[in-house]
Amino acid sequence: MPNEKPKIVIVGGGFGGIKLAKLFAKENVEITIVDRHNFHLFQPLLYQVSTSVLSTDEIAYPIRSFFRDCKNVHLFMAKAQGVDQERNVLLTNHGEISYDYLILAAGATTNFFGMKEVEEHSFGMKTLQEALHIRNHVLHEFERACKPYRTPEDRKKRMTFVVVGGGPTGVEEAGALTELIEIQKKEIHELDFNDVQVYLIEATDKVLPMMTPDLQQETIRVLRKKGVNVMLNTQVVGYDGDVLKLKSGAEIPTTTVIWAAGVRAVDMMKNCGGECARDGRIWIEENLMVRGAVHQNVFAIGDCAAFMHGDMKRPLPTVAPVATQQAVVAHKNIMKLIKGDTNLEKFVYKDLGAMATIGRGKAVVNKPKMTGFMAWCAWMLVHLIRLAGAHTNFTVALKWTWNFLSGTRLGRIITNISLDTK
Amino acid sequence: MPNEKPKIVIVGGGFGGIKLAKLFAKENVEITIVDRHNFHLFQPLLYQVSTSVLSTDEIAYPIRSFFRDCKNVHLFMAKAQGVDQERNVLLTNHGEISYDYLILAAGATTNFFGMKEVEEHSFGMKTLQEALHIRNHVLHEFERACKPYRTPEDRKKRMTFVVVGGGPTGVEEAGALTELIEIQKKEIHELDFNDVQVYLIEATDKVLPMMTPDLQQETIRVLRKKGVNVMLNTQVVGYDGDVLKLKSGAEIPTTTVIWAAGVRAVDMMKNCGGECARDGRIWIEENLMVRGAVHQNVFAIGDCAAFMHGDMKRPLPTVAPVATQQAVVAHKNIMKLIKGDTNLEKFVYKDLGAMATIGRGKAVVNKPKMTGFMAWCAWMLVHLIRLAGAHTNFTVALKWTWNFLSGTRLGRIITNISLDTK
């Protein structure tokens, strides 16, 4: 007898994909998660890996561990490349996977807005590998700057760290960098720390656009107090790995540009048989089905989907709560279709507010409005609750407490030195 | 006025080098540690990183953090390449460093005994990068084996893990691998675990040569009970990445060979102006000075030095206690020389015994003789005490307790997937 359970395929093991798989795991269906990685990544804390606060294992959780007791959930580790809606198959670099229902929850990648040179020389902040890459590079630049044969210009260039983009990622990264530098200052006795500079460059006239103006001002005030050179209304036009060029004609010599200025959907979305928005997100209906889906069985949620309705001026933001809330509705609608009910539910987004840390002991929260230490405690609590795995929660809480009290960072380990041991 | 403090240069931030620097930090001297890495590595726990138990940050500690309050200790991150004893300079890939006194504590690397093909295709177990490499590879092989298009032969080959070498590293790695496999078994629902095999191959007729015969037998018994196929008197003659060839003519198809069958001194020892033993270690006098040192100011300790005296049949073993005990004497002798006293102390090794884990809850200790759970507790205690950093001690203790109770391993994260996110 053939297996008659409906086959659900989920592309992506991010917040949306994992939530979906957990919901479907309880149903009489077979679920396959397709992801390039074998882990779920807690992206909001990537900046802490990049600045040596947390370890990779603390923000990455094996996807299979979520579903230890769910024999109907499978992981297919592969890179999804497109969808053949006519034939109901997902195309991957490890072959085709057929589906009865497909949910695209493939996420977003860094948007360099077509600037190839900038893309080649600056660091993205979307994957675990990129965060480790930044960590290794920044720590290594300190060691390189210590070498006696450096010219003052060379040394200064290596000690100039530029973060582009005033959203939560950019703000958090810039704040965390200044703290990493404070610790380096205590331990690197050979270096003049007057040479060290951190820039936060933002093209618009504000940081944290989702916050109220007073919280934005507070964020800038705290960043400046920490020593971050916040530059608003400043547009980057080029970067060759050596000199960052601004639209004003000004130049900043630097070997480190971290690009947190925008996201776009992953490339595969172009090959899913739907229409995409300018930032590559696939347009979806109010019931979360991909617009114009051939067999009414392809859905998309989260960062890779463009959802807009009523009087909205732009698609929903690329944040975790959108993905997880959409997962709930996508699950409901697919279960309805399986049961033959075509009266699908419409998705309505409930904005739960936003929060961002500006370094150790300081944060801003907009619902309810909070700043300073209390906001930081709220931020910690929310992030700890959402982190996967009880043990991880505990060790991360411990590390944060330890870092807050002692101001040390144990993760200052450069791991990308060649394997050659001879 | 020129700086007249004697300049001490230490090559290597391992157990010996760090101990030396700590001793010299209290003297009126300037110390420079030269290391390829910016961290001290706790090598005895490398096997736990390779099998997803611990994170890199838990067994690697920033060298500069040891010397936060010692302004006379410097790190020069570079690869030491040789010594020009005539001119009193150390040669590195970042230029020359002059010294008044030089101590070589450069450590050891994997010894493939000239088998180039084996070296190219198998995994060493001496660096953090190598341990991560093993972790990534082993976890990835499980995911690759799950792919439906594999032939049974291909799948079986990927599910065969071979450890070569019956010393502590080999025994601990083989034991830890079986436990990692037990956890994978609970979570990978697509795979037939009857295909999974772990081999421990040893050329001589025993494992753990430093232990008594009854402890050796106990070790083999426990390993076999865990499912390890222990093969004694078995010599490897070749490995092409696909099939491991034994001297008997037998072949084991496998994609994973971990080589823990021997160590030799790092290559730079050949260029230090001294005479080297067959395994590349530089011969030293009883006062730890390099034999035939031109200016009586070059010492060597630990794994890179060959020390033999009286009725010893072979140089001292390559273990941490040798290095740290030698550091104490090297420090004393150099301080004597600085003060004009040429009556140097002779080194005498005090054997403190040996210990090895054979997996969760089991170990063997030879002084005092212990096996089983008590030996494992002793092993944990000794390793925790020696780990650098109070916070690390705490998190590692916590992780071990957690792993023991829950049998889970959070570090099953494959991090070497390409940076390409598109």
Side-chain angles (χ1 to χ4, degrees), chain B residues 63-319:
Chain B
I63 291 176
R64 293 185 184 279
S65 294
F66 287 110
F67 306 104
R68 178 177 280 204
D69 302 321
C70 310
K71 300 259 188 282
N72 60 339
V73 180
H74 311 279
L75 173 67
F76 189 91
M77 191 174 151
K79 188 166 165 177
Q81 295 172 322
V83 182
D84 183 341
Q85 287 201 25
E86 290 289 346
R87 292 167 50 229
N88 285 326
V89 292
L90 175 74
L91 314 169
T92 83
N93 63 340
H94 283 276
E96 299 184 344
I97 304 173
S98 63
Y99 60 81
D100 293 317
Y101 295 92
L102 176 70
I103 306 112
L104 301 163
T109 185
T110 307
N111 196 346
F112 291 95
F113 304 103
M115 291 186 284
K116 287 284 169 212
E117 195 202 39
V118 175
E119 179 168 358
E120 191 183 325
H121 295 101
S122 62
F123 295 91
M125 266 281 284
K126 293 295 286 180
T127 68
L128 196 58
Q129 291 85 344
E130 287 175 322
L132 280 176
H133 208 185
I134 293 172
R135 182 205 282 210
N136 282 326
H137 172 78
V138 169
L139 296 173
H140 214 151
E141 284 300 69
F142 275 94
E143 297 301 336
R144 290 189 188 109
C146 285
K147 294 292 184 289
Y149 56 76
R150 300 273 171 222
T151 61
E153 293 71 34
D154 186 10
R155 188 168 286 135
K156 198 167 173 193
K157 187 174 71 181
R158 292 177 190 279
M159 290 296 94
T160 301
F161 304 98
V162 180
V163 181
V164 183
T169 304
V171 165
E172 294 181 323
E173 180 73 15
L177 272 174
T178 61
E179 289 170 5
L180 177 61
I181 290 163
E182 281 308 307
I183 296 157
Q184 296 286 72
K185 195 172 175 175
K186 286 186 193 148
E187 297 189 359
I188 305 186
H189 313 312
E190 300 89 8
L191 214 59
D192 178 0
F193 275 75
N194 290 318
D195 285 343
V196 184
Q197 286 206 284
V198 176
Y199 288 88
L200 179 66
I201 293 181
E202 164 58 38
T204 74
D205 62 350
K206 54 176 167 282
V207 299
L208 303 180
M210 73 297 270
M211 299 279 179
T212 53
D214 54 334
L215 290 177
Q216 292 169 352
Q217 284 311 313
E218 170 65 8
T219 302
I220 292 172
R221 191 190 65 79
V222 174
L223 283 173
R224 288 197 169 137
K225 206 176 153 201
K226 281 176 158 301
V228 178
N229 196 335
V230 182
M231 295 170 76
L232 300 176
N233 300 307
T234 305
Q235 217 174 315
V236 169
V237 292
Y239 179 55
D240 60 1
D242 236 27
V243 177
L244 184 74
K245 293 192 180 73
L246 306 177
K247 203 178 176 185
S248 65
E251 296 188 338
I252 304 174
T254 174
T255 54
T256 310
V257 173
I258 297 168
W259 192 263
V263 296
R264 60 177 181 80
V266 292
D267 280 346
M268 79 155 301
M269 300 315 294
K270 288 186 295 211
N271 309 319
C272 293
E275 198 190 331
C276 294
R278 210 161 50 114
D279 60 358
R281 298 164 81 177
I282 200 162
W283 284 106
I284 53 175
E285 306 286 356
E286 285 183 285
N287 60 20
L288 306 182
M289 201 179 285
V290 166
R291 266 195 211 166
V294 178
H295 299 299
Q296 308 289 299
N297 60 351
V298 180
F299 292 73
I301 65 170
D303 292 2
C304 74
F307 180 94
M308 206 151 76
H309 70 131
D311 56 353
M312 286 170 65
K313 288 201 191 81
R314 57 175 67 198
L316 287 173
T318 52
V319 294

Side-chain angles (χ1 to χ4, degrees), chain A residues 74-382:
Chain A
H74 311 279
L75 173 67
F76 190 91
M77 191 173 153
K79 188 166 166 178
Q81 295 172 320
V83 181
D84 183 340
Q85 289 201 25
E86 291 288 345
R87 291 167 50 230
N88 286 326
V89 292
L90 176 73
L91 314 170
T92 83
N93 63 340
H94 282 277
E96 299 184 345
I97 304 174
S98 64
Y99 60 82
D100 293 316
Y101 294 92
L102 176 71
I103 307 113
L104 301 163
T109 184
T110 307
N111 195 346
F112 290 95
F113 304 103
M115 292 186 283
K116 288 284 170 210
E117 195 201 39
V118 175
E119 178 167 358
E120 191 183 326
H121 294 102
S122 61
F123 295 93
M125 268 280 285
K126 291 296 285 179
T127 68
L128 196 58
Q129 291 86 345
E130 287 174 322
L132 280 176
H133 208 186
I134 292 172
R135 181 205 282 209
N136 281 325
H137 172 77
V138 169
L139 295 173
H140 214 153
E141 283 301 68
F142 276 95
E143 297 302 336
R144 291 191 188 107
C146 285
K147 294 292 184 290
Y149 56 78
R150 299 272 171 222
T151 62
E153 293 72 35
D154 186 9
R155 188 167 288 135
K156 200 168 170 193
K157 187 174 73 181
R158 290 177 191 280
M159 291 296 94
T160 301
F161 303 98
V162 180
V163 180
V164 183
T169 304
V171 165
E172 293 180 324
E173 180 73 14
L177 272 175
T178 62
E179 288 170 5
L180 176 61
I181 290 163
E182 281 308 306
I183 295 158
Q184 295 286 72
K185 195 172 175 174
K186 287 186 194 148
E187 296 189 0
I188 305 187
H189 313 313
E190 300 89 9
L191 214 58
D192 179 0
F193 275 75
N194 290 318
D195 284 343
V196 184
Q197 287 206 283
V198 176
Y199 288 87
L200 179 66
I201 293 182
E202 165 59 38
T204 73
D205 61 349
K206 53 176 168 283
V207 298
L208 303 180
M210 73 297 272
M211 298 279 177
T212 53
D214 54 334
L215 289 177
Q216 292 170 352
Q217 284 312 312
E218 169 67 7
T219 301
I220 291 173
R221 191 190 67 76
V222 174
L223 283 174
R224 289 198 168 136
K225 206 177 153 200
K226 281 177 158 300
V228 178
N229 195 336
V230 182
M231 297 170 77
L232 300 176
N233 301 306
T234 304
Q235 219 176 312
V236 168
V237 292
Y239 179 56
D240 61 0
D242 237 26
V243 177
L244 184 74
K245 293 191 179 74
L246 306 177
K247 203 179 179 184
S248 65
E251 296 188 337
I252 303 174
T254 174
T255 53
T256 310
V257 172
I258 298 167
W259 192 262
V263 296
R264 60 179 180 81
V266 291
D267 280 346
M268 80 155 299
M269 301 315 294
K270 288 186 294 211
N271 309 320
C272 293
E275 196 191 332
C276 294
R278 209 161 49 115
D279 60 358
R281 298 164 80 178
I282 200 162
W283 284 107
I284 52 175
E285 306 287 354
E286 286 183 285
N287 59 20
L288 306 181
M289 202 180 284
V290 166
R291 265 193 211 168
V294 178
H295 299 299
Q296 308 289 300
N297 60 351
V298 180
F299 291 73
I301 65 170
D303 292 2
C304 75
F307 180 93
M308 205 151 76
H309 69 129
D311 55 354
M312 286 171 67
K313 288 201 190 79
R314 57 174 66 198
L316 287 172
T318 52
V319 294
V322 171
T324 50
Q325 290 177 31
Q326 288 181 335
V328 174
V329 174
H331 163 253
K332 263 191 212 160
N333 283 347
I334 289 173
M335 287 316 295
K336 279 189 175 198
L337 290 173
I338 288 173
K339 287 165 189 156
D341 177 1
T342 55
N343 182 23
L344 302 187
E345 195 171 299
K346 287 182 182 177
F347 174 70
V348 180
Y349 178 52
K350 192 171 166 229
D351 185 358
L352 299 171
M355 42 180 37
T357 38
I358 336 170
R360 192 155 64 118
K362 293 258 193 311
V364 287
V365 175
N366 71 351
K367 268 188 189 180
K369 203 186 273 188
M370 283 192 277
T371 60
F373 188 74
M374 279 311 296
W376 186 65
C377 291
W379 176 91
M380 283 211 298
L381 196 68
V382 166

